[in-house]
Amino acid sequence: MACGSQWRRRGHAEAGLPRIRPHRNEPRQPICLRHTCALPDSRTGRPGGLAHLQPDLHPGHCPHPERPHRIPPTQRLHRPPHRRPAQGMTEIRHRIERAGRHELTITSAFPAGTDHIQLPIWRPGRYEQGDFGQYIRGMVQRTDTGWQPLSKVGLHRWQTVEPSESVEVRFQFTAAQLNAGSTWADEALLYVNPVNCLPYHDDLADIPVHIHLPDIPHDWYIATALPHMGDSEDGVHLMAKGTQELMDSPWMAAPADALWHGQYEVAGHPFHIHVWGQRHYDDDAFLEAHRKFTESQMATFGWLPVPQYHFLYLFPDFQARHGVEHEASTVIAWGPADQLTHSDGQPSAGLEEVIDIASHELVHTWNVKRLRPAEWMPYDFSQASPSRLGYVAEGVTTYLGDLFLLEAGVIEMEGWLRRFEKLLTRHLWNPGRLQTSVADSSVDTWLDGYKLGVPHRRGNIYVEGAVLAFLCDVALNRAGGGWLMDALAELVGPDQSRALTEERWWSTLERRAAKRSPEGAVEIRQLRADFCEGTEDTWPELVDAMMHQGIEATLEPHADPLARCGALCGQGREGRTEVKVCWPDSPAWEAGLRRGDVVDQVETERNQLHVEWQRDSVHATTSQWMLPEGAGHFARPRLGMFPG
């Protein structure tokens, strides 16, 4: 089996390529097989589900194929011994064919005893229910008498027939979303995120999975982190070690002239850049930016948890802004592509954003893919998996992603300040941060974390988590405990447990902050109480922390007097001015304004504001109140370096 770079042209021979073994510091995680309890099969008399397979007890995987010693207890996550499936259960097979624009025909084969199949209800990197079953139709199973429709026994689960025999199912999948986390198929591109569209069975999590793509033309390339089994006359073949790797390993295939590939190497590890879409920027400068931030991150963490890494870019001609992390790759979608340019050697705002996302996603290789909340070890795709550590998974990653760009020289201090200003604006303009803690907001991503939601109900784990990360970073440094990236590097080490708990995270920060004096640990505990578990206003603490870093922070009153009074407006339907956020207990709030109301006219007379607006966008209303003193609401943070 050839497992080199997954930059493959159809039809090229791959014989003789060396087999890349797992990195010496990359343990193989034991995944416990859970056997279903079901009534005996009426035809065979054997137990239902997979219980009749009589699996052998297996003490655990080895870190290397040639090294027989068992993995250390810290890597086992306190799970029961792994159970090896019975003989004859060799692999699961998925055959994926394009069936017209935005349509896929998927045929999946499972071992005997598979009493049901199901689709994941969520995907890694998006902590909400995805409901991918809504894109499936025509689920049938092959029987002796032909294809038989299957009955649903849940929103994402189908009951099979004759499970004592090998199970082969077929269905149609609508692949019409081109973003970083979905699946797309047309005549020019096949982009598949397996967690959207491939069924699985919990008890078969460790069974190898064979992917067959029969209709990939010979002049197409395929980009993926999955091992490539070689090409043949019947198409492309990929292989995953099991369900966890499969669901976290997307691929894209396109004509050779439409899929650009670049490569660089850091510390002996290949890093691949694959780009689908028009490129209006300097390829060399784009690759060099990746190399720089990769070197910075590798220098901090000291190792890479995977043998090689792949950046998969989708640059369509339409609007797209999205990035998703995966075990050994990331997918980043950004459009329109013609806004990604270089001018006088400098990247456009759009290209800067792409580089920001790329740095963020690479940090995830250590923070989320290597070290992740214990609730996600391993991923349970059958149900929601909320965690109170979303602010670490996403907030710390957001903060460090930009910081690595600064350390690598990809951006200057002015660029970092501009990014942090933008982050602080989103933070300060969200009244929800004062209502729900960032720890509770981490849980609530499963309710409304990725949609507009109630504007003043909760915080944003990316933004509020990044602000908390900055405060912890400064507190650690002030106490002589190093930096936050040093603490994370300690936790993601190759000999450390991969499961993260709240206690482990905060005790690590406290211990490092207490190296010089116990007061450092006290400050960390106070930050946790006030801004992680609590909802205190961060601005006074932010001003102090930034001053310690030589940064002057001020608040500039909003230019719109209505915003200063608590009603932040923007363009709404039919070009009307609509209230987007109304700050609770502000003058505008007390006057009755809420999100969605239409503002017709605003006049200022001396220190009073006169507003004509439409309640619920239809009922004409007039209100008048005094302008607030000081900066008021929705003030803009301004950052600059102190002289010297």
Side-chain angles (χ1 to χ4, degrees):
M1 178 178 69
C3 300
S5 165
Q6 302 318 310
W7 180 247
R8 295 285 187 259
R9 183 169 181 173
R10 287 276 290 110
H12 280 203
E14 297 181 303
L17 287 178
R19 182 179 186 273
I20 297 180
R21 299 193 183 281
H23 189 276
R24 63 185 180 86
N25 291 322
E26 182 188 18
R28 295 183 178 180
Q29 293 301 313
I31 302 177
C32 177
L33 291 179
R34 299 180 297 280
H35 294 286
T36 56
C37 297
L39 295 174
D41 187 280
S42 59
R43 297 190 305 109
T44 65
R46 293 182 296 186
L50 303 176
H52 68 279
L53 295 174
Q54 299 295 325
D56 301 319
L57 194 64
H58 182 49
H61 285 295
C62 300
H64 285 273
E66 294 84 11
R67 295 173 65 181
H69 63 271
R70 292 162 61 179
I71 60 175
T74 55
Q75 299 293 352
R76 296 188 182 203
L77 307 175
H78 310 292
R79 293 188 176 276
H82 172 71
R83 295 181 180 274
R84 181 183 291 124
Q87 296 296 321
M89 297 181 64
T90 56
E91 64 183 23
I92 297 168
R93 288 178 169 265
H94 297 291
R95 177 186 174 98
I96 303 172
E97 302 172 84
R98 289 174 294 165
R101 183 167 176 255
H102 298 166
E103 297 293 334
L104 295 175
T105 297
I106 299 177
T107 305
S108 302
F110 294 86
T114 305
D115 58 348
H116 70 270
I117 59 170
Q118 70 178 62
L119 208 65
I121 72 165
W122 67 285
R123 60 175 177 80
R126 188 81 168 188
Y127 309 113
E128 66 173 355
Q129 189 160 310
D131 293 333
F132 306 125
Q134 64 184 301
Y135 306 114
I136 283 182
R137 66 185 189 279
M139 178 71 75
V140 295
Q141 179 181 341
R142 185 191 295 274
T143 67
D144 293 340
T145 59
W147 292 97
Q148 178 177 332
L150 294 186
S151 298
K152 295 195 74 171
V153 291
L155 291 177
H156 309 88
R157 179 176 293 201
W158 291 261
Q159 190 75 37
T160 62
V161 296
E162 301 179 356
S164 60
E165 307 294 335
S166 60
V167 173
E168 182 179 353
V169 300
R170 186 180 67 195
F171 57 93
Q172 303 299 120
F173 184 87
T174 299
Q177 296 187 57
L178 187 58
N179 59 44
S182 298
T183 293
W184 173 277
D186 63 14
E187 65 282 355
L189 172 68
L190 174 64
Y191 165 56
V192 176
N193 190 357
V195 76
N196 299 158
C197 58
L198 296 185
Y200 75 103
H201 192 295
D202 279 338
D203 290 357
L204 303 176
D206 279 358
I207 302 298
V209 183
H210 184 160
I211 305 297
H212 181 201
L213 308 175
D215 62 349
I216 300 298
H218 285 272
D219 60 347
W220 278 36
Y221 282 122
I222 183 166
T224 181
L226 279 176
H228 192 278
M229 303 298 293
D231 302 332
S232 62
E233 290 302 319
D234 66 342
V236 174
H237 297 264
L238 307 173
M239 181 65 75
K241 294 191 295 287
T243 298
Q244 294 285 310
E245 182 183 41
L246 171 71
M247 297 304 182
D248 215 6
S249 301
W251 64 84
M252 61 182 184
D257 58 358
L259 193 53
W260 181 86
H261 173 245
Q263 181 177 339
Y264 60 97
E265 187 173 296
V266 176
H269 293 278
F271 289 80
H272 302 270
I273 300 176
H274 313 275
V275 179
W276 177 86
Q278 296 297 316
R279 306 188 319 282
H280 301 274
Y281 51 82
D282 185 310
D283 290 335
D284 292 337
F286 187 64
L287 190 146
E288 180 64 11
H290 284 71
R291 185 188 62 78
K292 284 183 175 180
F293 70 67
T294 300
E295 288 179 342
S296 180
Q297 295 186 25
M298 289 284 286
T300 293
F301 297 119
W303 72 301
L304 187 68
V306 294
Q308 55 184 319
Y309 191 85
H310 297 259
F311 295 91
L312 277 62
Y313 285 102
L314 297 165
F315 292 156
D317 294 330
F318 49 80
Q319 187 81 9
R321 279 171 176 78
H322 194 202
V324 178
E325 71 274 12
H326 296 283
E327 181 179 350
S329 63
T330 180
V331 179
I332 298 172
W334 205 101
D338 60 6
Q339 295 183 15
L340 304 177
T341 63
H342 278 101
S343 178
D344 297 327
Q346 297 301 312
S348 63
L351 194 57
E352 279 190 342
E353 186 177 2
V354 168
I355 298 298
D356 293 352
I357 296 172
S359 181
H360 173 106
E361 301 302 344
L362 185 59
V363 174
H364 271 316
T365 308
W366 294 273
N367 187 30
V368 168
K369 293 308 171 184
R370 171 65 190 179
L371 176 76
R372 71 178 69 145
E375 295 87 347
W376 304 341
M377 291 296 297
Y379 291 128
D380 183 353
F381 299 113
S382 67
Q383 61 183 353
S385 300
S387 170
R388 290 174 59 82
L389 285 167
Y391 61 90
V392 175
E394 295 298 348
V396 170
T397 301
T398 297
Y399 172 65
L400 292 183
D402 287 349
L403 202 58
F404 279 121
L405 293 176
L406 176 62
E407 289 209 343
V410 177
I411 61 176
E412 302 296 331
M413 189 64 188
E414 180 182 349
W416 185 87
L417 289 175
R418 179 160 42 86
R419 286 164 172 79
F420 203 54
E421 270 187 4
K422 183 178 179 181
L423 181 83
L424 289 180
T425 299
R426 295 178 63 191
H427 172 66
L428 296 174
W429 287 14
N430 180 7
R433 65 187 171 88
L434 304 175
Q435 301 293 323
T436 304
S437 71
V438 70
D440 285 345
S441 295
S442 296
V443 175
D444 281 358
T445 61
W446 292 87
L447 292 177
D448 60 356
Y450 296 91
K451 57 186 179 183
L452 192 57
V454 178
H456 50 274
R457 193 188 77 81
R458 54 155 181 81
N460 181 304
I461 63 172
Y462 295 79
V463 175
E464 277 64 72
V467 169
L468 178 59
F470 170 74
L471 293 175
C472 290
D473 197 14
V474 175
L476 283 170
N477 179 255
R478 191 154 44 192
W483 298 99
L484 186 64
M485 61 176 61
D486 300 322
L488 182 59
E490 173 189 329
L491 288 167
V492 302
D495 298 324
Q496 297 295 314
S497 169
R498 296 183 62 189
L500 183 66
T501 62
E502 288 183 278
E503 183 57 33
R504 185 181 172 205
W505 173 256
W506 288 105
S507 63
T508 298
L509 300 191
E510 287 183 30
R511 173 175 49 79
R512 296 181 69 92
K515 285 184 177 180
R516 183 185 299 166
S517 165
E519 294 178 358
V522 172
E523 183 175 0
I524 292 293
R525 284 195 292 271
Q526 194 64 50
L527 290 176
R528 179 182 183 181
D530 290 347
F531 309 124
C532 177
E533 307 292 346
T535 57
E536 297 296 321
D537 184 14
T538 56
W539 182 246
E541 193 74 23
L542 281 166
V543 171
D544 179 70
M546 284 186 279
M547 185 177 296
H548 181 269
Q549 298 301 101
I551 302 171
E552 182 181 20
T554 58
L555 289 176
E556 179 183 287
H558 200 288
D560 181 4
L562 186 55
R564 295 202 301 273
C565 293
L568 186 66
C569 298
Q571 185 172 344
R573 292 165 294 181
E574 301 176 358
R576 300 184 298 182
T577 300
E578 288 186 0
V579 176
K580 299 300 182 181
V581 181
C582 194
W583 201 280
D585 302 323
S586 66
W589 178 278
E590 296 296 336
L593 273 79
R594 297 294 186 270
R595 185 175 68 190
D597 290 338
V598 174
V599 177
D600 294 322
Q601 187 174 359
V602 177
E603 293 183 353
T604 303
E605 184 176 349
R606 296 181 182 177
N607 60 346
Q608 286 194 330
L609 196 68
H610 181 85
V611 183
E612 295 182 7
W613 55 286
Q614 298 179 43
R615 185 188 299 268
D616 300 323
S617 74
V618 292
H619 303 292
T621 308
T622 299
S623 299
Q624 184 172 304
W625 58 78
M626 300 288 291
L627 286 169
E629 297 181 358
H633 297 283
F634 300 109
R636 296 181 181 276
R638 297 302 185 194
L639 307 181
M641 299 301 297
F642 281 111

